[in-house]
Amino acid sequence: MERNQQEPTLFQDMDSGEKRLNELGYKQELRREMTLFKTLAISFSTMTLFTGITPLYGSSLQYAGPASLVWGWVVVSFFTWFVGIAMAEICSSFPTTGSLYFWAAHLAGPKWGPLSSWCCAWLETIGLIAGIGTQAYAGSQTLQSIILLSTGTNKDGGYFAPKWLFLCMYVSLTIIWAVLNTFALEVIAFIDIISIWWQVIGGLVIVIMLPLVALTTKSASYVFTNFEVGADATGVSSKPYAVILSFLVSQYSLYGYDAAAHLTEETKGADKNGPIAILSSIGIISIFGWAYILALTFSIQDFSYLYDPSNETAGAFVPAQILYDAFHGRYHNSAGAIVLLFVIWGSYFFGGLSITTSAARVVYALSRDKGIPFSSIWRQVHPKRKVPSNAVWLCAAICILLGLPILKVNVVFTAITSICTIGWVGGYAVPIFARMVMAEKNFKAGPFYLGRARRPVCLIAFLWICYTCSVFLLPTYYPITWETFNYAPVALGVGLSLIMLWWVVDARKWFKGPVRNIEIQNGKV
């Protein structure tokens, strides 16, 4: 296939990413000022070191013991590389801010492109907006533990934030992220550069210090080989089922690397730097995430005490109890635990900020292609700051609505996490499947190209995504009651049914996928 054609005069001395964007039919409307490091910082911040592992660590540990949790991270990391590599190749060819749904439209061809684009766009939009909610919820949970330990403990009359205050913290975080995202992207990029150092340095401090501070550490045989089904606490007695559920923490943590793709219209040399940022983020998180899991697991003092509702952290947050046991056991105070919890909370803050950035870009891109009601409002770009501020506030408003059930329902985080993962990761599946089945002659490769390896890589990636989405629909506790019911299948079923009904009744008549806003004929705009 011929790929080295002579470039038109129009594209000489033009950034390679902008040139490819023009070839695809889009004007350069956003500022292209992001460097590779800044893009990597935002992508890394979206995945984040602590935000996936910390909130689900306790439940995953309880299902089948430490060995399943520890080795689950390795297994999930292995398959995540296939997904990342498949996406990096597509990103190299299509460096647009619409990313996944744009890819789906072009890869699926003129017949299936509009439907593929529609499904992918809405899955990704749902996943990203729910992703803001997961960060706000887990960040509030961490802040709740910080307040509790700072005012005493659960045993010493410390203040445990009630549901109404928890909701206020959730809403406040969401609004702060929206406000910051209305500034120029350079502000977000600067904050995310702080984020990457915060998490790398903070991660190293926790990984190294925690096992050293703990009075006793678990043996290697306990960490790597102990398998114990927690049927009494979870109601799950089947060993295979328990293992599947223990993997959820890893499957929830190891995605978000597509954030680099959402910023490709603002990144220099995006056809090269986008794929590099995607793969680098996966590599960093794979290593640091496993080290963090090991540090927590080696530092456990009393496994059963971690879940005791009468313990110092009210049994509400297992990592907080592990930190408390380590520092109080050594120094007889909780100051060290509070400091490290603040480091973890910072990770949620940076993660939520970055996911808000990504969500707004997807909503903006979909609005630009008239795929959202009142698109003319959400596609508007701030004339001075060149950011999609209206899209930012739409995402924040929906996220706040998702959090309102906190006042009455105890399984909100489980539901939001499932919706986020299925929507976000499910969105990956559409372009990857289209890339796998399309004719190679129709694909214009970018600098990162898999060649003959693309079909096996895409097949493994697609099957893994299907498996991941399936397991997040499963019940996580038995017996199933209103308190333990995973209502994500219902919420997703209703939402996706309405979206597809809209497609059948109306949208299929006018939605054609990405809409070109420039025409190139014979190398001229």
mmCIF file with all atom_site columns, all heavy atoms in Angstrom, residues 29 47 75-76 118 123 131 133 146 259 278 293 324 350 386 397 402 411 413 426 442 445 449 472 479 507:
data_model
loop_
_atom_site.group_PDB
_atom_site.id
_atom_site.type_symbol
_atom_site.label_atom_id
_atom_site.label_alt_id
_atom_site.label_comp_id
_atom_site.label_asym_id
_atom_site.label_entity_id
_atom_site.label_seq_id
_atom_site.pdbx_PDB_ins_code
_atom_site.Cartn_x
_atom_site.Cartn_y
_atom_site.Cartn_z
_atom_site.occupancy
_atom_site.B_iso_or_equiv
_atom_site.pdbx_formal_charge
_atom_site.auth_seq_id
_atom_site.auth_comp_id
_atom_site.auth_asym_id
_atom_site.auth_atom_id
_atom_site.pdbx_PDB_model_num
ATOM 1   N N   . GLU A 1 29  ? -9.295  24.290  15.285 1.00 0.00 ? 29  GLU A N   1
ATOM 2   C CA  . GLU A 1 29  ? -10.011 25.302  16.058 1.00 0.00 ? 29  GLU A CA  1
ATOM 3   C C   . GLU A 1 29  ? -9.452  25.451  17.476 1.00 0.00 ? 29  GLU A C   1
ATOM 4   O O   . GLU A 1 29  ? -9.533  26.521  18.068 1.00 0.00 ? 29  GLU A O   1
ATOM 5   C CB  . GLU A 1 29  ? -11.497 24.952  16.131 1.00 0.00 ? 29  GLU A CB  1
ATOM 6   C CG  . GLU A 1 29  ? -12.194 24.968  14.775 1.00 0.00 ? 29  GLU A CG  1
ATOM 7   C CD  . GLU A 1 29  ? -13.675 24.654  14.877 1.00 0.00 ? 29  GLU A CD  1
ATOM 8   O OE1 . GLU A 1 29  ? -14.022 23.559  15.367 1.00 0.00 ? 29  GLU A OE1 1
ATOM 9   O OE2 . GLU A 1 29  ? -14.478 25.501  14.455 1.00 0.00 ? 29  GLU A OE2 1
ATOM 10  N N   . MET A 1 47  ? -5.795  8.068   34.415 1.00 0.00 ? 47  MET A N   1
ATOM 11  C CA  . MET A 1 47  ? -5.719  6.709   34.956 1.00 0.00 ? 47  MET A CA  1
ATOM 12  C C   . MET A 1 47  ? -5.501  6.771   36.466 1.00 0.00 ? 47  MET A C   1
ATOM 13  O O   . MET A 1 47  ? -6.197  6.116   37.229 1.00 0.00 ? 47  MET A O   1
ATOM 14  C CB  . MET A 1 47  ? -4.580  5.943   34.288 1.00 0.00 ? 47  MET A CB  1
ATOM 15  C CG  . MET A 1 47  ? -4.778  5.717   32.802 1.00 0.00 ? 47  MET A CG  1
ATOM 16  S SD  . MET A 1 47  ? -3.445  4.735   32.082 1.00 0.00 ? 47  MET A SD  1
ATOM 17  C CE  . MET A 1 47  ? -3.818  3.106   32.720 1.00 0.00 ? 47  MET A CE  1
ATOM 18  N N   . VAL A 1 75  ? -2.443  -10.219 35.558 1.00 0.00 ? 75  VAL A N   1
ATOM 19  C CA  . VAL A 1 75  ? -3.245  -10.751 34.448 1.00 0.00 ? 75  VAL A CA  1
ATOM 20  C C   . VAL A 1 75  ? -3.935  -9.627  33.687 1.00 0.00 ? 75  VAL A C   1
ATOM 21  O O   . VAL A 1 75  ? -3.894  -9.556  32.454 1.00 0.00 ? 75  VAL A O   1
ATOM 22  C CB  . VAL A 1 75  ? -4.280  -11.771 34.968 1.00 0.00 ? 75  VAL A CB  1
ATOM 23  C CG1 . VAL A 1 75  ? -5.237  -12.174 33.852 1.00 0.00 ? 75  VAL A CG1 1
ATOM 24  C CG2 . VAL A 1 75  ? -3.585  -13.001 35.543 1.00 0.00 ? 75  VAL A CG2 1
ATOM 25  N N   . VAL A 1 76  ? -4.575  -8.732  34.426 1.00 0.00 ? 76  VAL A N   1
ATOM 26  C CA  . VAL A 1 76  ? -5.307  -7.633  33.783 1.00 0.00 ? 76  VAL A CA  1
ATOM 27  C C   . VAL A 1 76  ? -4.347  -6.699  33.048 1.00 0.00 ? 76  VAL A C   1
ATOM 28  O O   . VAL A 1 76  ? -4.644  -6.227  31.945 1.00 0.00 ? 76  VAL A O   1
ATOM 29  C CB  . VAL A 1 76  ? -6.148  -6.871  34.822 1.00 0.00 ? 76  VAL A CB  1
ATOM 30  C CG1 . VAL A 1 76  ? -6.794  -5.638  34.188 1.00 0.00 ? 76  VAL A CG1 1
ATOM 31  C CG2 . VAL A 1 76  ? -7.214  -7.777  35.410 1.00 0.00 ? 76  VAL A CG2 1
ATOM 32  N N   . TRP A 1 118 ? -22.414 6.401   16.423 1.00 0.00 ? 118 TRP A N   1
ATOM 33  C CA  . TRP A 1 118 ? -23.454 6.742   17.390 1.00 0.00 ? 118 TRP A CA  1
ATOM 34  C C   . TRP A 1 118 ? -23.305 5.917   18.678 1.00 0.00 ? 118 TRP A C   1
ATOM 35  O O   . TRP A 1 118 ? -23.313 6.469   19.789 1.00 0.00 ? 118 TRP A O   1
ATOM 36  C CB  . TRP A 1 118 ? -24.818 6.482   16.748 1.00 0.00 ? 118 TRP A CB  1
ATOM 37  C CG  . TRP A 1 118 ? -26.008 6.746   17.615 1.00 0.00 ? 118 TRP A CG  1
ATOM 38  C CD1 . TRP A 1 118 ? -26.715 5.838   18.343 1.00 0.00 ? 118 TRP A CD1 1
ATOM 39  C CD2 . TRP A 1 118 ? -26.641 8.014   17.830 1.00 0.00 ? 118 TRP A CD2 1
ATOM 40  N NE1 . TRP A 1 118 ? -27.757 6.442   18.995 1.00 0.00 ? 118 TRP A NE1 1
ATOM 41  C CE2 . TRP A 1 118 ? -27.741 7.791   18.699 1.00 0.00 ? 118 TRP A CE2 1
ATOM 42  C CE3 . TRP A 1 118 ? -26.401 9.304   17.371 1.00 0.00 ? 118 TRP A CE3 1
ATOM 43  C CZ2 . TRP A 1 118 ? -28.579 8.808   19.116 1.00 0.00 ? 118 TRP A CZ2 1
ATOM 44  C CZ3 . TRP A 1 118 ? -27.244 10.334  17.790 1.00 0.00 ? 118 TRP A CZ3 1
ATOM 45  C CH2 . TRP A 1 118 ? -28.308 10.075  18.654 1.00 0.00 ? 118 TRP A CH2 1
ATOM 46  N N   . LEU A 1 123 ? -21.582 5.573   24.367 1.00 0.00 ? 123 LEU A N   1
ATOM 47  C CA  . LEU A 1 123 ? -20.921 4.754   25.382 1.00 0.00 ? 123 LEU A CA  1
ATOM 48  C C   . LEU A 1 123 ? -19.793 5.545   26.045 1.00 0.00 ? 123 LEU A C   1
ATOM 49  O O   . LEU A 1 123 ? -19.664 5.561   27.283 1.00 0.00 ? 123 LEU A O   1
ATOM 50  C CB  . LEU A 1 123 ? -20.345 3.479   24.742 1.00 0.00 ? 123 LEU A CB  1
ATOM 51  C CG  . LEU A 1 123 ? -21.326 2.339   24.485 1.00 0.00 ? 123 LEU A CG  1
ATOM 52  C CD1 . LEU A 1 123 ? -20.657 1.264   23.627 1.00 0.00 ? 123 LEU A CD1 1
ATOM 53  C CD2 . LEU A 1 123 ? -21.806 1.729   25.796 1.00 0.00 ? 123 LEU A CD2 1
ATOM 54  N N   . GLY A 1 131 ? -17.323 8.587   35.054 1.00 0.00 ? 131 GLY A N   1
ATOM 55  C CA  . GLY A 1 131 ? -15.958 8.576   35.579 1.00 0.00 ? 131 GLY A CA  1
ATOM 56  C C   . GLY A 1 131 ? -15.683 9.764   36.480 1.00 0.00 ? 131 GLY A C   1
ATOM 57  O O   . GLY A 1 131 ? -14.955 9.646   37.476 1.00 0.00 ? 131 GLY A O   1
ATOM 58  N N   . GLY A 1 133 ? -17.902 11.091  38.336 1.00 0.00 ? 133 GLY A N   1
ATOM 59  C CA  . GLY A 1 133 ? -18.590 10.717  39.571 1.00 0.00 ? 133 GLY A CA  1
ATOM 60  C C   . GLY A 1 133 ? -17.798 9.749   40.429 1.00 0.00 ? 133 GLY A C   1
ATOM 61  O O   . GLY A 1 133 ? -17.803 9.857   41.661 1.00 0.00 ? 133 GLY A O   1
ATOM 62  N N   . ILE A 1 146 ? -10.073 11.188  56.357 1.00 0.00 ? 146 ILE A N   1
ATOM 63  C CA  . ILE A 1 146 ? -9.131  12.195  56.854 1.00 0.00 ? 146 ILE A CA  1
ATOM 64  C C   . ILE A 1 146 ? -9.757  12.994  57.999 1.00 0.00 ? 146 ILE A C   1
ATOM 65  O O   . ILE A 1 146 ? -9.130  13.223  59.039 1.00 0.00 ? 146 ILE A O   1
ATOM 66  C CB  . ILE A 1 146 ? -8.695  13.141  55.705 1.00 0.00 ? 146 ILE A CB  1
ATOM 67  C CG1 . ILE A 1 146 ? -7.840  12.379  54.689 1.00 0.00 ? 146 ILE A CG1 1
ATOM 68  C CG2 . ILE A 1 146 ? -7.929  14.339  56.252 1.00 0.00 ? 146 ILE A CG2 1
ATOM 69  C CD1 . ILE A 1 146 ? -7.515  13.186  53.439 1.00 0.00 ? 146 ILE A CD1 1
ATOM 70  N N   . ALA A 1 259 ? -7.327  9.211   27.250 1.00 0.00 ? 259 ALA A N   1
ATOM 71  C CA  . ALA A 1 259 ? -7.332  10.661  27.464 1.00 0.00 ? 259 ALA A CA  1
ATOM 72  C C   . ALA A 1 259 ? -6.366  11.353  26.515 1.00 0.00 ? 259 ALA A C   1
ATOM 73  O O   . ALA A 1 259 ? -6.624  12.462  26.041 1.00 0.00 ? 259 ALA A O   1
ATOM 74  C CB  . ALA A 1 259 ? -6.957  10.968  28.909 1.00 0.00 ? 259 ALA A CB  1
ATOM 75  N N   . ILE A 1 278 ? -0.281  7.117   25.243 1.00 0.00 ? 278 ILE A N   1
ATOM 76  C CA  . ILE A 1 278 ? -1.165  5.997   25.607 1.00 0.00 ? 278 ILE A CA  1
ATOM 77  C C   . ILE A 1 278 ? -0.361  4.847   26.199 1.00 0.00 ? 278 ILE A C   1
ATOM 78  O O   . ILE A 1 278 ? -0.656  4.338   27.289 1.00 0.00 ? 278 ILE A O   1
ATOM 79  C CB  . ILE A 1 278 ? -1.951  5.520   24.371 1.00 0.00 ? 278 ILE A CB  1
ATOM 80  C CG1 . ILE A 1 278 ? -3.005  6.553   23.979 1.00 0.00 ? 278 ILE A CG1 1
ATOM 81  C CG2 . ILE A 1 278 ? -2.623  4.170   24.645 1.00 0.00 ? 278 ILE A CG2 1
ATOM 82  C CD1 . ILE A 1 278 ? -3.712  6.255   22.670 1.00 0.00 ? 278 ILE A CD1 1
ATOM 83  N N   . ILE A 1 293 ? -0.316  -2.119  45.432 1.00 0.00 ? 293 ILE A N   1
ATOM 84  C CA  . ILE A 1 293 ? -1.083  -3.259  45.956 1.00 0.00 ? 293 ILE A CA  1
ATOM 85  C C   . ILE A 1 293 ? -0.215  -4.100  46.892 1.00 0.00 ? 293 ILE A C   1
ATOM 86  O O   . ILE A 1 293 ? -0.659  -4.520  47.973 1.00 0.00 ? 293 ILE A O   1
ATOM 87  C CB  . ILE A 1 293 ? -1.624  -4.122  44.798 1.00 0.00 ? 293 ILE A CB  1
ATOM 88  C CG1 . ILE A 1 293 ? -2.766  -3.389  44.087 1.00 0.00 ? 293 ILE A CG1 1
ATOM 89  C CG2 . ILE A 1 293 ? -2.117  -5.477  45.308 1.00 0.00 ? 293 ILE A CG2 1
ATOM 90  C CD1 . ILE A 1 293 ? -3.276  -4.099  42.851 1.00 0.00 ? 293 ILE A CD1 1
ATOM 91  N N   . TYR A 1 324 ? -3.593  3.493   59.191 1.00 0.00 ? 324 TYR A N   1
ATOM 92  C CA  . TYR A 1 324 ? -3.710  3.813   60.620 1.00 0.00 ? 324 TYR A CA  1
ATOM 93  C C   . TYR A 1 324 ? -2.992  2.767   61.473 1.00 0.00 ? 324 TYR A C   1
ATOM 94  O O   . TYR A 1 324 ? -2.231  3.120   62.392 1.00 0.00 ? 324 TYR A O   1
ATOM 95  C CB  . TYR A 1 324 ? -5.177  3.898   61.020 1.00 0.00 ? 324 TYR A CB  1
ATOM 96  C CG  . TYR A 1 324 ? -5.361  4.112   62.506 1.00 0.00 ? 324 TYR A CG  1
ATOM 97  C CD1 . TYR A 1 324 ? -5.314  5.393   63.051 1.00 0.00 ? 324 TYR A CD1 1
ATOM 98  C CD2 . TYR A 1 324 ? -5.541  3.026   63.374 1.00 0.00 ? 324 TYR A CD2 1
ATOM 99  C CE1 . TYR A 1 324 ? -5.451  5.593   64.421 1.00 0.00 ? 324 TYR A CE1 1
ATOM 100 C CE2 . TYR A 1 324 ? -5.678  3.219   64.735 1.00 0.00 ? 324 TYR A CE2 1
ATOM 101 C CZ  . TYR A 1 324 ? -5.632  4.504   65.248 1.00 0.00 ? 324 TYR A CZ  1
ATOM 102 O OH  . TYR A 1 324 ? -5.746  4.690   66.609 1.00 0.00 ? 324 TYR A OH  1
ATOM 103 N N   . PHE A 1 350 ? -6.690  15.287  41.191 1.00 0.00 ? 350 PHE A N   1
ATOM 104 C CA  . PHE A 1 350 ? -6.089  15.414  39.869 1.00 0.00 ? 350 PHE A CA  1
ATOM 105 C C   . PHE A 1 350 ? -6.797  14.523  38.843 1.00 0.00 ? 350 PHE A C   1
ATOM 106 O O   . PHE A 1 350 ? -6.975  14.904  37.696 1.00 0.00 ? 350 PHE A O   1
ATOM 107 C CB  . PHE A 1 350 ? -4.600  15.050  39.925 1.00 0.00 ? 350 PHE A CB  1
ATOM 108 C CG  . PHE A 1 350 ? -3.776  16.018  40.730 1.00 0.00 ? 350 PHE A CG  1
ATOM 109 C CD1 . PHE A 1 350 ? -2.936  15.562  41.744 1.00 0.00 ? 350 PHE A CD1 1
ATOM 110 C CD2 . PHE A 1 350 ? -3.835  17.371  40.484 1.00 0.00 ? 350 PHE A CD2 1
ATOM 111 C CE1 . PHE A 1 350 ? -2.169  16.445  42.482 1.00 0.00 ? 350 PHE A CE1 1
ATOM 112 C CE2 . PHE A 1 350 ? -3.073  18.267  41.226 1.00 0.00 ? 350 PHE A CE2 1
ATOM 113 C CZ  . PHE A 1 350 ? -2.240  17.806  42.235 1.00 0.00 ? 350 PHE A CZ  1
ATOM 114 N N   . LYS A 1 386 ? -10.370 29.429  24.383 1.00 0.00 ? 386 LYS A N   1
ATOM 115 C CA  . LYS A 1 386 ? -10.399 28.341  23.409 1.00 0.00 ? 386 LYS A CA  1
ATOM 116 C C   . LYS A 1 386 ? -10.638 26.980  24.069 1.00 0.00 ? 386 LYS A C   1
ATOM 117 O O   . LYS A 1 386 ? -10.000 25.984  23.734 1.00 0.00 ? 386 LYS A O   1
ATOM 118 C CB  . LYS A 1 386 ? -9.090  28.309  22.600 1.00 0.00 ? 386 LYS A CB  1
ATOM 119 C CG  . LYS A 1 386 ? -8.817  29.560  21.795 1.00 0.00 ? 386 LYS A CG  1
ATOM 120 C CD  . LYS A 1 386 ? -9.864  29.781  20.718 1.00 0.00 ? 386 LYS A CD  1
ATOM 121 C CE  . LYS A 1 386 ? -9.563  30.995  19.864 1.00 0.00 ? 386 LYS A CE  1
ATOM 122 N NZ  . LYS A 1 386 ? -10.608 31.253  18.862 1.00 0.00 ? 386 LYS A NZ  1
ATOM 123 N N   . ALA A 1 397 ? -22.990 19.045  35.552 1.00 0.00 ? 397 ALA A N   1
ATOM 124 C CA  . ALA A 1 397 ? -24.388 18.984  35.992 1.00 0.00 ? 397 ALA A CA  1
ATOM 125 C C   . ALA A 1 397 ? -24.911 17.550  36.005 1.00 0.00 ? 397 ALA A C   1
ATOM 126 O O   . ALA A 1 397 ? -25.576 17.126  36.964 1.00 0.00 ? 397 ALA A O   1
ATOM 127 C CB  . ALA A 1 397 ? -25.255 19.856  35.081 1.00 0.00 ? 397 ALA A CB  1
ATOM 128 N N   . LEU A 1 402 ? -26.059 12.282  39.057 1.00 0.00 ? 402 LEU A N   1
ATOM 129 C CA  . LEU A 1 402 ? -25.728 10.884  39.331 1.00 0.00 ? 402 LEU A CA  1
ATOM 130 C C   . LEU A 1 402 ? -25.439 10.650  40.809 1.00 0.00 ? 402 LEU A C   1
ATOM 131 O O   . LEU A 1 402 ? -25.647 9.542   41.326 1.00 0.00 ? 402 LEU A O   1
ATOM 132 C CB  . LEU A 1 402 ? -24.502 10.453  38.507 1.00 0.00 ? 402 LEU A CB  1
ATOM 133 C CG  . LEU A 1 402 ? -24.700 10.168  37.026 1.00 0.00 ? 402 LEU A CG  1
ATOM 134 C CD1 . LEU A 1 402 ? -23.349 9.882   36.365 1.00 0.00 ? 402 LEU A CD1 1
ATOM 135 C CD2 . LEU A 1 402 ? -25.635 8.994   36.825 1.00 0.00 ? 402 LEU A CD2 1
ATOM 136 N N   . VAL A 1 411 ? -25.249 1.625   47.707 1.00 0.00 ? 411 VAL A N   1
ATOM 137 C CA  . VAL A 1 411 ? -24.411 0.991   46.688 1.00 0.00 ? 411 VAL A CA  1
ATOM 138 C C   . VAL A 1 411 ? -24.190 1.917   45.493 1.00 0.00 ? 411 VAL A C   1
ATOM 139 O O   . VAL A 1 411 ? -24.007 1.473   44.377 1.00 0.00 ? 411 VAL A O   1
ATOM 140 C CB  . VAL A 1 411 ? -25.034 -0.347  46.217 1.00 0.00 ? 411 VAL A CB  1
ATOM 141 C CG1 . VAL A 1 411 ? -24.965 -1.387  47.309 1.00 0.00 ? 411 VAL A CG1 1
ATOM 142 C CG2 . VAL A 1 411 ? -26.473 -0.134  45.751 1.00 0.00 ? 411 VAL A CG2 1
ATOM 143 N N   . PHE A 1 413 ? -21.618 3.830   44.768 1.00 0.00 ? 413 PHE A N   1
ATOM 144 C CA  . PHE A 1 413 ? -20.293 3.736   44.151 1.00 0.00 ? 413 PHE A CA  1
ATOM 145 C C   . PHE A 1 413 ? -20.191 2.508   43.253 1.00 0.00 ? 413 PHE A C   1
ATOM 146 O O   . PHE A 1 413 ? -19.605 2.573   42.173 1.00 0.00 ? 413 PHE A O   1
ATOM 147 C CB  . PHE A 1 413 ? -19.205 3.683   45.224 1.00 0.00 ? 413 PHE A CB  1
ATOM 148 C CG  . PHE A 1 413 ? -17.815 3.693   44.643 1.00 0.00 ? 413 PHE A CG  1
ATOM 149 C CD1 . PHE A 1 413 ? -17.317 4.835   44.041 1.00 0.00 ? 413 PHE A CD1 1
ATOM 150 C CD2 . PHE A 1 413 ? -17.005 2.559   44.681 1.00 0.00 ? 413 PHE A CD2 1
ATOM 151 C CE1 . PHE A 1 413 ? -16.046 4.858   43.482 1.00 0.00 ? 413 PHE A CE1 1
ATOM 152 C CE2 . PHE A 1 413 ? -15.742 2.573   44.130 1.00 0.00 ? 413 PHE A CE2 1
ATOM 153 C CZ  . PHE A 1 413 ? -15.255 3.723   43.532 1.00 0.00 ? 413 PHE A CZ  1
ATOM 154 N N   . GLY A 1 426 ? -16.351 -0.080  27.076 1.00 0.00 ? 426 GLY A N   1
ATOM 155 C CA  . GLY A 1 426 ? -17.184 -0.534  25.969 1.00 0.00 ? 426 GLY A CA  1
ATOM 156 C C   . GLY A 1 426 ? -16.996 0.324   24.735 1.00 0.00 ? 426 GLY A C   1
ATOM 157 O O   . GLY A 1 426 ? -17.067 -0.169  23.594 1.00 0.00 ? 426 GLY A O   1
ATOM 158 N N   . ASN A 1 442 ? -8.121  0.026   2.980  1.00 0.00 ? 442 ASN A N   1
ATOM 159 C CA  . ASN A 1 442 ? -8.881  1.231   3.321  1.00 0.00 ? 442 ASN A CA  1
ATOM 160 C C   . ASN A 1 442 ? -8.315  1.978   4.520  1.00 0.00 ? 442 ASN A C   1
ATOM 161 O O   . ASN A 1 442 ? -8.863  3.000   4.924  1.00 0.00 ? 442 ASN A O   1
ATOM 162 C CB  . ASN A 1 442 ? -10.340 0.866   3.616  1.00 0.00 ? 442 ASN A CB  1
ATOM 163 C CG  . ASN A 1 442 ? -11.048 0.292   2.404  1.00 0.00 ? 442 ASN A CG  1
ATOM 164 O OD1 . ASN A 1 442 ? -10.725 0.644   1.267  1.00 0.00 ? 442 ASN A OD1 1
ATOM 165 N ND2 . ASN A 1 442 ? -12.003 -0.604  2.632  1.00 0.00 ? 442 ASN A ND2 1
ATOM 166 N N   . ALA A 1 445 ? -2.318  4.206   7.398  1.00 0.00 ? 445 ALA A N   1
ATOM 167 C CA  . ALA A 1 445 ? -1.555  4.047   8.636  1.00 0.00 ? 445 ALA A CA  1
ATOM 168 C C   . ALA A 1 445 ? -0.816  5.322   8.995  1.00 0.00 ? 445 ALA A C   1
ATOM 169 O O   . ALA A 1 445 ? -0.381  6.088   8.144  1.00 0.00 ? 445 ALA A O   1
ATOM 170 C CB  . ALA A 1 445 ? -0.561  2.903   8.493  1.00 0.00 ? 445 ALA A CB  1
ATOM 171 N N   . TYR A 1 449 ? 2.282   1.682   13.414 1.00 0.00 ? 449 TYR A N   1
ATOM 172 C CA  . TYR A 1 449 ? 1.527   0.765   12.548 1.00 0.00 ? 449 TYR A CA  1
ATOM 173 C C   . TYR A 1 449 ? 1.833   -0.676  12.917 1.00 0.00 ? 449 TYR A C   1
ATOM 174 O O   . TYR A 1 449 ? 2.996   -1.065  13.052 1.00 0.00 ? 449 TYR A O   1
ATOM 175 C CB  . TYR A 1 449 ? 1.898   1.036   11.084 1.00 0.00 ? 449 TYR A CB  1
ATOM 176 C CG  . TYR A 1 449 ? 1.213   0.141   10.078 1.00 0.00 ? 449 TYR A CG  1
ATOM 177 C CD1 . TYR A 1 449 ? -0.170  0.033   10.031 1.00 0.00 ? 449 TYR A CD1 1
ATOM 178 C CD2 . TYR A 1 449 ? 1.964   -0.586  9.147  1.00 0.00 ? 449 TYR A CD2 1
ATOM 179 C CE1 . TYR A 1 449 ? -0.798  -0.782  9.103  1.00 0.00 ? 449 TYR A CE1 1
ATOM 180 C CE2 . TYR A 1 449 ? 1.349   -1.401  8.204  1.00 0.00 ? 449 TYR A CE2 1
ATOM 181 C CZ  . TYR A 1 449 ? -0.034  -1.499  8.183  1.00 0.00 ? 449 TYR A CZ  1
ATOM 182 O OH  . TYR A 1 449 ? -0.657  -2.303  7.263  1.00 0.00 ? 449 TYR A OH  1
ATOM 183 N N   . PHE A 1 472 ? -18.772 -6.584  35.085 1.00 0.00 ? 472 PHE A N   1
ATOM 184 C CA  . PHE A 1 472 ? -19.243 -5.440  35.868 1.00 0.00 ? 472 PHE A CA  1
ATOM 185 C C   . PHE A 1 472 ? -20.766 -5.375  35.954 1.00 0.00 ? 472 PHE A C   1
ATOM 186 O O   . PHE A 1 472 ? -21.317 -4.513  36.640 1.00 0.00 ? 472 PHE A O   1
ATOM 187 C CB  . PHE A 1 472 ? -18.688 -4.131  35.300 1.00 0.00 ? 472 PHE A CB  1
ATOM 188 C CG  . PHE A 1 472 ? -17.342 -3.774  35.855 1.00 0.00 ? 472 PHE A CG  1
ATOM 189 C CD1 . PHE A 1 472 ? -16.176 -4.136  35.199 1.00 0.00 ? 472 PHE A CD1 1
ATOM 190 C CD2 . PHE A 1 472 ? -17.234 -3.090  37.055 1.00 0.00 ? 472 PHE A CD2 1
ATOM 191 C CE1 . PHE A 1 472 ? -14.938 -3.821  35.717 1.00 0.00 ? 472 PHE A CE1 1
ATOM 192 C CE2 . PHE A 1 472 ? -15.999 -2.764  37.592 1.00 0.00 ? 472 PHE A CE2 1
ATOM 193 C CZ  . PHE A 1 472 ? -14.840 -3.128  36.924 1.00 0.00 ? 472 PHE A CZ  1
ATOM 194 N N   . PRO A 1 479 ? -26.876 -12.540 49.958 1.00 0.00 ? 479 PRO A N   1
ATOM 195 C CA  . PRO A 1 479 ? -28.025 -12.607 49.038 1.00 0.00 ? 479 PRO A CA  1
ATOM 196 C C   . PRO A 1 479 ? -28.336 -11.238 48.449 1.00 0.00 ? 479 PRO A C   1
ATOM 197 O O   . PRO A 1 479 ? -27.988 -10.207 49.030 1.00 0.00 ? 479 PRO A O   1
ATOM 198 C CB  . PRO A 1 479 ? -29.156 -13.108 49.944 1.00 0.00 ? 479 PRO A CB  1
ATOM 199 C CG  . PRO A 1 479 ? -28.775 -12.616 51.302 1.00 0.00 ? 479 PRO A CG  1
ATOM 200 C CD  . PRO A 1 479 ? -27.277 -12.708 51.371 1.00 0.00 ? 479 PRO A CD  1
ATOM 201 N N   . ALA A 1 507 ? -32.655 9.650   14.863 1.00 0.00 ? 507 ALA A N   1
ATOM 202 C CA  . ALA A 1 507 ? -31.258 10.032  14.633 1.00 0.00 ? 507 ALA A CA  1
ATOM 203 C C   . ALA A 1 507 ? -30.651 9.414   13.369 1.00 0.00 ? 507 ALA A C   1
ATOM 204 O O   . ALA A 1 507 ? -29.802 10.028  12.723 1.00 0.00 ? 507 ALA A O   1
ATOM 205 C CB  . ALA A 1 507 ? -30.413 9.660   15.851 1.00 0.00 ? 507 ALA A CB  1
#
